[in-house]
Amino acid sequence: MSELSISELQARTGLASSALRFYERKGLLRATGRSGGKRTYDQTAIEQVALIDLLKLAGFTLSEIAAFVDPVGRSTPQWRALASAKQQELEERLRRTQEAQAALAHMLACRHEHLEECAVHHRMLREHAESLALAAQESR
């Protein structure tokens, strides 16, 4: 398997060299050696960087990613539990985003000159306030 310089890994992943070095410092990525004083990586680093990026897109923090995979990209024993919890978070975030999108769609389509005149707008705000209160109670 051929080695990649940090510049080659940057070109293959689109991430800046500084980001790749940062991932190394955080224990998310590991250089396999040095050539001419520069870091080298094996070909699996490309997929490792892609996995880190996908997990970031899913909302994982770098600490959570470090608990999900080791520096060479092997999944840790708790990866399923972490993925399941994050999937639930994403589903809740999607639900809230869809709720906000529906509210904005109503606002834009509302026939009233001022939202304060719209009974549907008031109902949506009351329902949202109730969901905020319920969420606060559940978190206590």
Side-chain angles (χ1 to χ4, degrees):
M1 198 178 290
S2 65
E3 298 275 306
L4 300 168
S5 69
I6 196 165
S7 300
E8 292 167 324
L9 185 57
Q10 174 184 358
R12 300 280 302 272
T13 63
L15 263 70
S17 302
S18 58
L20 297 170
R21 288 189 294 271
F22 180 73
Y23 287 168
E24 268 191 73
R25 286 193 304 276
K26 292 295 185 181
L28 302 175
L29 184 65
R30 185 172 66 192
T32 55
R34 289 198 169 289
S35 177
K38 296 183 179 185
R39 292 172 170 83
T40 58
Y41 302 87
D42 63 26
Q43 293 287 327
T44 62
I46 296 166
E47 289 187 8
Q48 176 68 2
V49 171
L51 176 61
I52 292 166
D53 190 65
L54 282 173
L55 294 173
K56 282 176 50 184
L57 288 172
F60 282 86
T61 64
L62 294 179
S63 296
E64 291 171 329
I65 294 171
F68 195 100
V69 292
D70 68 14
V72 293
R74 289 188 305 250
S75 54
T76 61
Q78 66 269 24
W79 77 266
R80 282 189 196 275
L82 294 167
S84 178
K86 190 58 68 176
Q87 184 178 30
Q88 289 174 359
E89 284 179 35
L90 287 173
E91 287 171 359
E92 177 60 20
R93 188 181 318 154
L94 179 59
R95 185 195 64 73
R96 290 190 322 259
T97 300
Q98 288 170 333
E99 181 181 296
Q101 188 177 32
L104 287 173
H106 171 76
M107 289 176 200
L108 291 170
C110 186
R111 62 179 174 79
H112 293 92
E113 181 65 27
H114 300 281
L115 288 174
E116 300 77 29
E117 299 167 357
C118 179
V120 173
H121 177 73
H122 286 286
R123 179 186 50 81
M124 291 169 70
L125 293 177
R126 283 191 304 273
E127 288 173 1
H128 186 67
E130 288 172 11
S131 71
L132 290 173
L134 181 61
Q137 288 174 353
E138 289 173 355
S139 69
R140 287 184 211 140

